Structure formats: structure tokens, C-alpha cells
Amino acid sequence: MFLDDSVRKRLLRLAPSQRTDDALYYLLAPHLLGFWTFLKPGFAGKEIGDVLFIFGDVCIIFEAKTRDKPGPTSHEWIGSKLREAVGQIKENHRRLESGEVSTIRNPWRGELPWSSLGIKHYQGVVVMMHESDPYDPLAIEPSLFDSCRIPIHVLSLHDIGELMRFLNTPWDFIVYWEFRYAIGKTHALFVHKEQSVFSKILNDWVELARGQGAAQSDGELLKDQQFLLNYTKAVMQSYEIDPETKRMVVASYLIDIAAGSIMQKADPDSTGKRVGSKDHSTHIKAVQLIADLSRRRRAVYGTLWMEAAKKCIATQGESYIYGYSPSREQSYIFCARSGLDLDEDSLSLKAKERMKLDASSCVIVLSA
């Protein structure tokens, strides 16, 4: 887990259970962004989950369970907490899906009508914080998921921390849970051993994608798989990675920086409560277009942006490189400028020209 010192100090002042909830949030939010990550959201005086992640039409409900005492944990304790957490996820899913919860809010998003989010798919994740040997949750509670209407996963907090090193975009994060649920139908998924689950998903990537109805060709799926394998090695600082792959990985983080740098909390009302506004909602939609890119797409577009920067350095002027995604009907303009102020009118004109040329529905412009 990678939390900075200020966050660690804050967490250490909290009670163990609250510490786990907040640690989970701080593991998710920096990568998945506060617009889509909600810590302990509530409605009508009731908590909807320890953490909710909401992106596109997907909602993932997290429930965390913590053992206060150090030392090995019995299967009896694990079983009781699993039953409790799964029951909470099922109840919160019912409340959300039925419309019983009418609004949801956080400081980044403001207050939102739940119906406006268009959620169609749910997943549940139980996060366990305790000491034990690796275990299969179904071996402890064989009928745990029998009456569940949504996929539910069980991992340790450390498992989540490790996953976020490799699955740190909303797109990759959501796909992982879909693939994990698929392999869980035929394989035991052990808590404290998520790295082996992650490895199997990477190795079976093409077959799993086909099983989920992926529209890409096998060639494109193989490229996705190879990139993720290389990305994993790069994160683990393997010496087997070639320089070009390292450059692509580094370039991908330019897109993360771009999305993170324009994050802003919701506008406050007269009382100081952050409720949002129409302009803020438009801003969120713009950030979502960037956040929706997978790590591989970020590597491709980040590399184009780096090429624009190289041209800019060579000419000491302004340079542009263009991209286009037919599947999303989105155009991209990557601009680099040296000693020049941002010319929004010029960029707007180029965006209109690009939209007409590509027959795209929107244009994303990144300039530095």
C-alpha cells in the first residue's frame, strides 16, 4: 500500500474500523478520482456503504470488516464478518436499485439525484482487515453468495493496495471485477493471494474478454494483454522491460496528471455546503472523457503528447499532434507550446475543424 505520511498520520489517529474504511478510500480515490469515489455516503441517516465507486453505468459497493485485536483470526470470526458484510451489500444494493435512495453526495461531486446517474450494473466487494492464512471464502461459508443478485468478491485490504498498483484507471478497474467474477465460477479465489488471481486473469485475458462479449479483434485483445503484462513488469521494476515500453508507461501518466490537475470540488451554496452546479457538472463530464481511458490508451495518447513536446522543443514554438478513436467517435488534439500563453480561441477553432474532419462527436484537447 502506498499512502503518504500525512495520510498515514491521520489514519493512525482513527479507531481500527474507521481506519480501514478511510485507508480503503485513500487507496482508491487518488487513482479513480474523487468525482467517482464516495466515502461512507449516506441517505436518510443510513450509510449506503463504506465506500462506493460509481463510474459510467457501474456502481461498486465496498464493505470493510476489521479485527481490532492482533494475531491469527479464527474461521468463526471470518465467517461472521463475511455474513455481516454480504448482508449489508445486499441491503444497500436493494436500496439503491429500488430508488429508496434518492440522492447521493460527496465534496467533489456535490449532491446528485441517484436516478440521474443511470446505474445498470452493480458489484459488491468485501474488504477484510485481519491476520490469517490464505483462505477460500466459500470454504468457510459455502452458501455465502447463494441469494446474491450481484457479483460479490472478498479480498484483504492489502490485496486492494496491491491491485491499485496495476489497475489504476476506472476502465481497467471495472474490467478486472468482471473478469474476476467470471473465473470465480470455476476457480477458488483465495483472500491474501490476489496476485495469483491477477496473474491468471492476465494469462487468460483474451478468453475472458471474449466471454464478456468484447468487440475488439483477437489482435487488439492480444495487444491489450501484452501491454498489461509489460506494464505489470514495469511497475514491479523488472529488468526485462525494453526502453520503449518504459517510455510508453511513463507517457501514460501524463494523462493521469492532466485529469488530476483539473479536479475541483463542487461549488458551495450560501451555507458552504458543496452542492455543485450546472457548470461543475459540465466540468465533470470533461474530466470523465479523460478518466475513461484505459492504461494502454493513456500510453498511446501520452506518447503522442510527448511527440508534440519534442517538436515544440525543436522549433521553440507551438506544435500539434492529432488522434482519433473510431469506436468512441472522439478526436484528440495534443498541443505543446514554448513560452506562449494558452490561446483558447485558436484551440477551439482547431477542435471544430478536427470534429468536422473526423466526423467525431467530441474533441478532447490537452495543451501544455
Side-chain angles (χ1 to χ4, degrees):
M1 289 179 262
F2 299 93
L3 303 175
D4 65 38
D5 288 341
S6 63
V7 172
R8 289 176 185 274
K9 289 177 182 177
R10 179 187 179 280
L11 293 176
L12 288 173
R13 292 195 293 267
L14 302 176
S17 60
Q18 188 180 351
R19 185 186 307 153
T20 300
D21 297 345
D22 285 34
L24 173 61
Y25 174 80
Y26 283 119
L27 287 171
L28 300 177
H31 302 293
L32 307 179
L33 302 183
F35 284 159
W36 300 287
T37 314
F38 296 72
L39 174 62
K40 292 186 175 298
F43 179 77
K46 293 182 180 179
E47 194 175 285
I48 309 170
D50 288 329
V51 177
L52 291 189
F53 170 66
I54 301 168
F55 193 87
D57 60 0
V58 176
C59 174
I60 302 179
I61 306 169
F62 289 86
E63 284 292 342
K65 296 300 171 187
T66 303
R67 181 168 171 79
D68 295 348
K69 299 178 181 179
T73 308
S74 69
H75 280 191
E76 288 76 14
W77 184 92
I78 294 172
S80 70
K81 293 303 177 182
L82 287 176
R83 292 191 298 273
E84 182 181 328
V86 170
Q88 289 171 319
I89 289 173
K90 289 165 62 177
E91 172 61 12
N92 285 324
H93 167 242
R94 182 198 66 76
R95 294 174 66 211
L96 291 168
E97 189 178 50
S98 68
E100 182 180 316
V101 174
S102 61
T103 61
I104 189 169
R105 72 175 304 276
N106 72 9
W108 293 96
R109 202 69 181 268
E111 191 164 71
L112 300 166
W114 178 257
S115 60
S116 70
L117 298 176
I119 302 300
K120 297 178 181 178
H121 308 286
Y122 293 84
Q123 300 256 358
V125 180
V126 179
V127 179
M128 302 292 284
M129 181 57 181
H130 62 90
E131 294 181 42
S132 74
D133 292 329
Y135 60 89
D136 175 7
L138 287 179
I140 295 177
E141 288 291 321
S143 60
L144 186 64
F145 307 138
D146 285 356
S147 61
C148 296
R149 295 176 48 237
I150 64 172
I152 295 184
H153 311 264
V154 183
L155 297 86
S156 70
L157 183 64
H158 184 267
D159 288 335
I160 294 287
E162 287 295 296
L163 276 182
M164 294 313 298
R165 297 174 64 193
F166 312 110
L167 302 167
N168 41 38
T169 77
W171 190 93
D172 294 307
F173 192 67
I174 290 170
V175 168
Y176 184 79
W177 299 114
E178 293 173 350
F179 287 3
R180 191 182 191 275
Y181 178 66
I183 68 169
K185 294 177 180 179
T186 54
H187 293 78
L189 306 177
F190 284 81
V191 175
H192 301 310
K193 294 187 69 174
E194 194 64 21
Q195 194 158 6
S196 64
V197 179
F198 177 69
S199 296
K200 178 165 181 56
I201 287 175
L202 285 186
N203 290 333
D204 296 350
W205 187 267
V206 176
E207 294 79 7
L208 288 167
R210 280 279 168 261
Q212 294 294 314
Q216 300 106 302
S217 67
D218 283 352
E220 283 300 304
L221 291 175
L222 284 169
K223 288 180 181 178
D224 284 343
Q225 180 187 46
Q226 189 58 54
F227 175 82
L228 286 171
L229 288 167
N230 287 337
Y231 177 68
T232 300
K233 292 178 182 178
V235 171
M236 297 178 71
Q237 299 183 353
S238 170
Y239 291 103
E240 302 172 21
I241 301 300
D242 61 277
E244 180 58 28
T245 298
K246 288 182 179 179
R247 281 192 289 270
M248 288 189 68
V249 169
V250 171
S252 76
Y253 291 122
L254 291 175
I255 307 302
D256 297 52
I257 293 170
S261 68
I262 55 177
M263 289 287 294
Q264 59 187 40
K265 290 186 176 180
D267 301 312
D269 61 14
S270 58
T271 68
K273 182 180 179 181
R274 295 191 179 277
V275 296
S277 65
K278 185 176 181 180
D279 286 345
H280 187 65
S281 296
T282 301
H283 180 77
I284 291 171
K285 291 177 182 178
V287 178
Q288 183 166 348
L289 292 173
I290 304 174
D292 193 36
L293 298 173
S294 68
R295 180 58 57 195
R296 184 188 164 208
R297 284 179 180 266
R298 294 183 191 208
V300 171
Y301 294 135
T303 300
L304 291 178
W305 206 2
M306 286 292 291
E307 289 301 316
K310 289 178 183 178
K311 290 183 179 180
C312 172
I313 292 169
T315 62
Q316 289 297 298
E318 197 169 25
S319 65
Y320 299 89
I321 289 184
Y322 304 99
Y324 176 57
S325 172
S327 62
R328 302 183 181 209
E329 296 184 342
Q330 290 177 4
S331 298
Y332 300 85
I333 299 177
F334 303 98
C335 172
R337 58 193 194 279
S338 176
L340 299 172
D341 292 333
L342 179 65
D343 187 343
E344 294 187 15
D345 291 337
S346 175
L347 286 176
S348 295
L349 182 60
K350 287 183 180 296
K352 291 177 182 178
E353 292 172 350
R354 204 70 214 172
M355 183 179 289
K356 184 176 181 180
L357 181 65
D358 294 336
S360 54
S361 59
C362 71
V363 181
I364 299 172
V365 182
L366 298 178
S367 179

mmCIF file of all heavy atoms in Angstrom, residues 212-238:
data_model
loop_
_atom_site.group_PDB
_atom_site.id
_atom_site.type_symbol
_atom_site.label_atom_id
_atom_site.label_comp_id
_atom_site.label_asym_id
_atom_site.label_seq_id
_atom_site.Cartn_x
_atom_site.Cartn_y
_atom_site.Cartn_z
ATOM 1 N N GLN A 212 -16.870 -11.977 -22.212
ATOM 2 C CA GLN A 212 -17.629 -10.783 -21.832
ATOM 3 C C GLN A 212 -18.189 -10.046 -23.042
ATOM 4 O O GLN A 212 -18.756 -8.963 -22.909
ATOM 5 C CB GLN A 212 -16.732 -9.833 -21.029
ATOM 6 C CG GLN A 212 -16.300 -10.378 -19.681
ATOM 7 C CD GLN A 212 -17.459 -10.548 -18.718
ATOM 8 O OE1 GLN A 212 -18.294 -9.672 -18.573
ATOM 9 N NE2 GLN A 212 -17.522 -11.701 -18.074
ATOM 10 N N GLY A 213 -18.001 -10.626 -24.226
ATOM 11 C CA GLY A 213 -18.563 -10.022 -25.432
ATOM 12 C C GLY A 213 -17.751 -8.891 -26.008
ATOM 13 O O GLY A 213 -18.302 -8.005 -26.669
ATOM 14 N N ALA A 214 -16.430 -8.898 -25.783
ATOM 15 C CA ALA A 214 -15.578 -7.827 -26.308
ATOM 16 C C ALA A 214 -15.679 -7.762 -27.824
ATOM 17 O O ALA A 214 -15.678 -8.787 -28.513
ATOM 18 C CB ALA A 214 -14.126 -8.063 -25.895
ATOM 19 N N ALA A 215 -15.733 -6.529 -28.354
ATOM 20 C CA ALA A 215 -15.896 -6.333 -29.790
ATOM 21 C C ALA A 215 -14.563 -6.281 -30.533
ATOM 22 O O ALA A 215 -14.542 -6.378 -31.760
ATOM 23 C CB ALA A 215 -16.675 -5.045 -30.051
ATOM 24 N N GLN A 216 -13.438 -6.112 -29.799
ATOM 25 C CA GLN A 216 -12.145 -5.987 -30.462
ATOM 26 C C GLN A 216 -11.738 -7.293 -31.143
ATOM 27 O O GLN A 216 -12.193 -8.378 -30.777
ATOM 28 C CB GLN A 216 -11.046 -5.602 -29.459
ATOM 29 C CG GLN A 216 -11.277 -4.286 -28.758
ATOM 30 C CD GLN A 216 -11.691 -4.514 -27.326
ATOM 31 O OE1 GLN A 216 -12.689 -5.173 -27.065
ATOM 32 N NE2 GLN A 216 -10.918 -3.964 -26.415
ATOM 33 N N SER A 217 -10.865 -7.162 -32.124
ATOM 34 C CA SER A 217 -10.305 -8.340 -32.773
ATOM 35 C C SER A 217 -9.357 -9.048 -31.814
ATOM 36 O O SER A 217 -8.909 -8.478 -30.819
ATOM 37 C CB SER A 217 -9.531 -7.926 -34.035
ATOM 38 O OG SER A 217 -8.384 -7.166 -33.667
ATOM 39 N N ASP A 218 -9.041 -10.316 -32.128
ATOM 40 C CA ASP A 218 -8.090 -11.045 -31.291
ATOM 41 C C ASP A 218 -6.743 -10.336 -31.258
ATOM 42 O O ASP A 218 -6.055 -10.334 -30.233
ATOM 43 C CB ASP A 218 -7.903 -12.476 -31.818
ATOM 44 C CG ASP A 218 -9.077 -13.379 -31.456
ATOM 45 O OD1 ASP A 218 -9.946 -12.930 -30.672
ATOM 46 O OD2 ASP A 218 -9.133 -14.511 -31.951
ATOM 47 N N GLY A 219 -6.381 -9.717 -32.397
ATOM 48 C CA GLY A 219 -5.111 -8.994 -32.448
ATOM 49 C C GLY A 219 -5.069 -7.845 -31.464
ATOM 50 O O GLY A 219 -4.074 -7.634 -30.768
ATOM 51 N N GLU A 220 -6.178 -7.083 -31.372
ATOM 52 C CA GLU A 220 -6.239 -5.968 -30.431
ATOM 53 C C GLU A 220 -6.252 -6.454 -28.993
ATOM 54 O O GLU A 220 -5.635 -5.857 -28.110
ATOM 55 C CB GLU A 220 -7.476 -5.111 -30.706
ATOM 56 C CG GLU A 220 -7.343 -4.192 -31.899
ATOM 57 C CD GLU A 220 -6.188 -3.211 -31.722
ATOM 58 O OE1 GLU A 220 -6.178 -2.481 -30.716
ATOM 59 O OE2 GLU A 220 -5.295 -3.190 -32.587
ATOM 60 N N LEU A 221 -6.972 -7.561 -28.751
ATOM 61 C CA LEU A 221 -7.012 -8.110 -27.397
ATOM 62 C C LEU A 221 -5.630 -8.612 -26.973
ATOM 63 O O LEU A 221 -5.237 -8.462 -25.805
ATOM 64 C CB LEU A 221 -8.026 -9.247 -27.317
ATOM 65 C CG LEU A 221 -9.499 -8.833 -27.455
ATOM 66 C CD1 LEU A 221 -10.397 -10.053 -27.495
ATOM 67 C CD2 LEU A 221 -9.905 -7.912 -26.300
ATOM 68 N N LEU A 222 -4.900 -9.188 -27.907
ATOM 69 C CA LEU A 222 -3.540 -9.643 -27.602
ATOM 70 C C LEU A 222 -2.630 -8.453 -27.287
ATOM 71 O O LEU A 222 -1.755 -8.542 -26.422
ATOM 72 C CB LEU A 222 -2.973 -10.457 -28.768
ATOM 73 C CG LEU A 222 -3.514 -11.881 -28.909
ATOM 74 C CD1 LEU A 222 -3.094 -12.485 -30.248
ATOM 75 C CD2 LEU A 222 -3.025 -12.764 -27.752
ATOM 76 N N LYS A 223 -2.843 -7.330 -27.987
ATOM 77 C CA LYS A 223 -2.065 -6.122 -27.694
ATOM 78 C C LYS A 223 -2.385 -5.610 -26.289
ATOM 79 O O LYS A 223 -1.491 -5.180 -25.559
ATOM 80 C CB LYS A 223 -2.356 -5.044 -28.735
ATOM 81 C CG LYS A 223 -1.753 -5.312 -30.105
ATOM 82 C CD LYS A 223 -2.106 -4.188 -31.071
ATOM 83 C CE LYS A 223 -1.533 -4.449 -32.460
ATOM 84 N NZ LYS A 223 -1.926 -3.380 -33.419
ATOM 85 N N ASP A 224 -3.686 -5.644 -25.923
ATOM 86 C CA ASP A 224 -4.081 -5.245 -24.563
ATOM 87 C C ASP A 224 -3.371 -6.127 -23.538
ATOM 88 O O ASP A 224 -2.826 -5.639 -22.542
ATOM 89 C CB ASP A 224 -5.595 -5.380 -24.386
ATOM 90 C CG ASP A 224 -6.378 -4.270 -25.060
ATOM 91 O OD1 ASP A 224 -5.778 -3.225 -25.381
ATOM 92 O OD2 ASP A 224 -7.586 -4.461 -25.271
ATOM 93 N N GLN A 225 -3.416 -7.426 -23.797
ATOM 94 C CA GLN A 225 -2.807 -8.375 -22.863
ATOM 95 C C GLN A 225 -1.309 -8.147 -22.735
ATOM 96 O O GLN A 225 -0.772 -8.087 -21.620
ATOM 97 C CB GLN A 225 -3.075 -9.803 -23.340
ATOM 98 C CG GLN A 225 -2.480 -10.880 -22.436
ATOM 99 C CD GLN A 225 -2.616 -12.262 -23.042
ATOM 100 O OE1 GLN A 225 -2.336 -12.453 -24.235
ATOM 101 N NE2 GLN A 225 -3.061 -13.222 -22.243
ATOM 102 N N GLN A 226 -0.629 -7.977 -23.862
ATOM 103 C CA GLN A 226 0.818 -7.794 -23.825
ATOM 104 C C GLN A 226 1.189 -6.502 -23.127
ATOM 105 O O GLN A 226 2.159 -6.454 -22.358
ATOM 106 C CB GLN A 226 1.390 -7.814 -25.245
ATOM 107 C CG GLN A 226 2.926 -7.857 -25.281
ATOM 108 C CD GLN A 226 3.483 -9.058 -24.555
ATOM 109 O OE1 GLN A 226 3.115 -10.201 -24.825
ATOM 110 N NE2 GLN A 226 4.380 -8.820 -23.605
ATOM 111 N N PHE A 227 0.417 -5.455 -23.378
ATOM 112 C CA PHE A 227 0.718 -4.188 -22.707
ATOM 113 C C PHE A 227 0.563 -4.324 -21.199
ATOM 114 O O PHE A 227 1.415 -3.858 -20.431
ATOM 115 C CB PHE A 227 -0.186 -3.063 -23.210
ATOM 116 C CG PHE A 227 0.027 -1.783 -22.445
ATOM 117 C CD1 PHE A 227 1.084 -0.938 -22.763
ATOM 118 C CD2 PHE A 227 -0.798 -1.444 -21.382
ATOM 119 C CE1 PHE A 227 1.315 0.232 -22.034
ATOM 120 C CE2 PHE A 227 -0.574 -0.275 -20.646
ATOM 121 C CZ PHE A 227 0.484 0.551 -20.976
ATOM 122 N N LEU A 228 -0.518 -4.969 -20.745
ATOM 123 C CA LEU A 228 -0.737 -5.111 -19.312
ATOM 124 C C LEU A 228 0.341 -5.976 -18.670
ATOM 125 O O LEU A 228 0.764 -5.723 -17.539
ATOM 126 C CB LEU A 228 -2.121 -5.694 -19.053
ATOM 127 C CG LEU A 228 -3.286 -4.719 -19.276
ATOM 128 C CD1 LEU A 228 -4.615 -5.446 -19.217
ATOM 129 C CD2 LEU A 228 -3.249 -3.599 -18.245
ATOM 130 N N LEU A 229 0.790 -7.000 -19.381
ATOM 131 C CA LEU A 229 1.901 -7.817 -18.875
ATOM 132 C C LEU A 229 3.160 -6.969 -18.732
ATOM 133 O O LEU A 229 3.861 -7.041 -17.712
ATOM 134 C CB LEU A 229 2.154 -9.006 -19.806
ATOM 135 C CG LEU A 229 1.103 -10.125 -19.772
ATOM 136 C CD1 LEU A 229 1.304 -11.082 -20.951
ATOM 137 C CD2 LEU A 229 1.185 -10.896 -18.454
ATOM 138 N N ASN A 230 3.445 -6.167 -19.742
ATOM 139 C CA ASN A 230 4.629 -5.305 -19.689
ATOM 140 C C ASN A 230 4.475 -4.210 -18.631
ATOM 141 O O ASN A 230 5.438 -3.874 -17.939
ATOM 142 C CB ASN A 230 4.886 -4.673 -21.057
ATOM 143 C CG ASN A 230 5.435 -5.670 -22.058
ATOM 144 O OD1 ASN A 230 6.009 -6.690 -21.683
ATOM 145 N ND2 ASN A 230 5.247 -5.397 -23.331
ATOM 146 N N TYR A 231 3.261 -3.671 -18.521
ATOM 147 C CA TYR A 231 3.014 -2.632 -17.529
ATOM 148 C C TYR A 231 3.237 -3.181 -16.116
ATOM 149 O O TYR A 231 3.843 -2.528 -15.263
ATOM 150 C CB TYR A 231 1.598 -2.095 -17.674
ATOM 151 C CG TYR A 231 1.230 -1.053 -16.635
ATOM 152 C CD1 TYR A 231 1.839 0.198 -16.646
ATOM 153 C CD2 TYR A 231 0.291 -1.329 -15.640
ATOM 154 C CE1 TYR A 231 1.514 1.157 -15.692
ATOM 155 C CE2 TYR A 231 -0.037 -0.375 -14.694
ATOM 156 C CZ TYR A 231 0.576 0.857 -14.727
ATOM 157 O OH TYR A 231 0.270 1.796 -13.776
ATOM 158 N N THR A 232 2.763 -4.416 -15.893
ATOM 159 C CA THR A 232 2.942 -5.050 -14.590
ATOM 160 C C THR A 232 4.431 -5.215 -14.276
ATOM 161 O O THR A 232 4.877 -4.942 -13.156
ATOM 162 C CB THR A 232 2.244 -6.417 -14.566
ATOM 163 O OG1 THR A 232 0.847 -6.233 -14.812
ATOM 164 C CG2 THR A 232 2.427 -7.105 -13.222
ATOM 165 N N LYS A 233 5.195 -5.645 -15.260
ATOM 166 C CA LYS A 233 6.638 -5.793 -15.052
ATOM 167 C C LYS A 233 7.293 -4.444 -14.767
ATOM 168 O O LYS A 233 8.193 -4.343 -13.933
ATOM 169 C CB LYS A 233 7.283 -6.437 -16.287
ATOM 170 C CG LYS A 233 6.894 -7.896 -16.506
ATOM 171 C CD LYS A 233 7.530 -8.434 -17.773
ATOM 172 C CE LYS A 233 7.131 -9.871 -18.039
ATOM 173 N NZ LYS A 233 7.714 -10.383 -19.320
ATOM 174 N N ALA A 234 6.831 -3.414 -15.472
ATOM 175 C CA ALA A 234 7.411 -2.087 -15.268
ATOM 176 C C ALA A 234 7.131 -1.578 -13.859
ATOM 177 O O ALA A 234 8.007 -1.020 -13.200
ATOM 178 C CB ALA A 234 6.850 -1.112 -16.301
ATOM 179 N N VAL A 235 5.882 -1.786 -13.381
ATOM 180 C CA VAL A 235 5.523 -1.350 -12.032
ATOM 181 C C VAL A 235 6.355 -2.095 -10.993
ATOM 182 O O VAL A 235 6.764 -1.535 -9.974
ATOM 183 C CB VAL A 235 4.018 -1.566 -11.782
ATOM 184 C CG1 VAL A 235 3.674 -1.338 -10.318
ATOM 185 C CG2 VAL A 235 3.196 -0.632 -12.660
ATOM 186 N N MET A 236 6.623 -3.357 -11.276
ATOM 187 C CA MET A 236 7.427 -4.176 -10.359
ATOM 188 C C MET A 236 8.926 -3.971 -10.564
ATOM 189 O O MET A 236 9.740 -4.649 -9.961
ATOM 190 C CB MET A 236 7.061 -5.647 -10.537
ATOM 191 C CG MET A 236 5.619 -5.962 -10.185
ATOM 192 S SD MET A 236 5.175 -7.685 -10.456
ATOM 193 C CE MET A 236 6.082 -8.483 -9.122
ATOM 194 N N GLN A 237 9.263 -3.025 -11.478
ATOM 195 C CA GLN A 237 10.655 -2.663 -11.752
ATOM 196 C C GLN A 237 11.478 -3.859 -12.233
ATOM 197 O O GLN A 237 12.602 -4.079 -11.802
ATOM 198 C CB GLN A 237 11.288 -2.020 -10.523
ATOM 199 C CG GLN A 237 10.583 -0.751 -10.094
ATOM 200 C CD GLN A 237 11.253 -0.058 -8.923
ATOM 201 O OE1 GLN A 237 12.185 -0.565 -8.321
ATOM 202 N NE2 GLN A 237 10.770 1.125 -8.598
ATOM 203 N N SER A 238 10.861 -4.620 -13.129
ATOM 204 C CA SER A 238 11.556 -5.762 -13.716
ATOM 205 C C SER A 238 12.594 -5.277 -14.727
ATOM 206 O O SER A 238 12.400 -4.299 -15.441
ATOM 207 C CB SER A 238 10.554 -6.678 -14.435
ATOM 208 O OG SER A 238 11.209 -7.650 -15.205
#
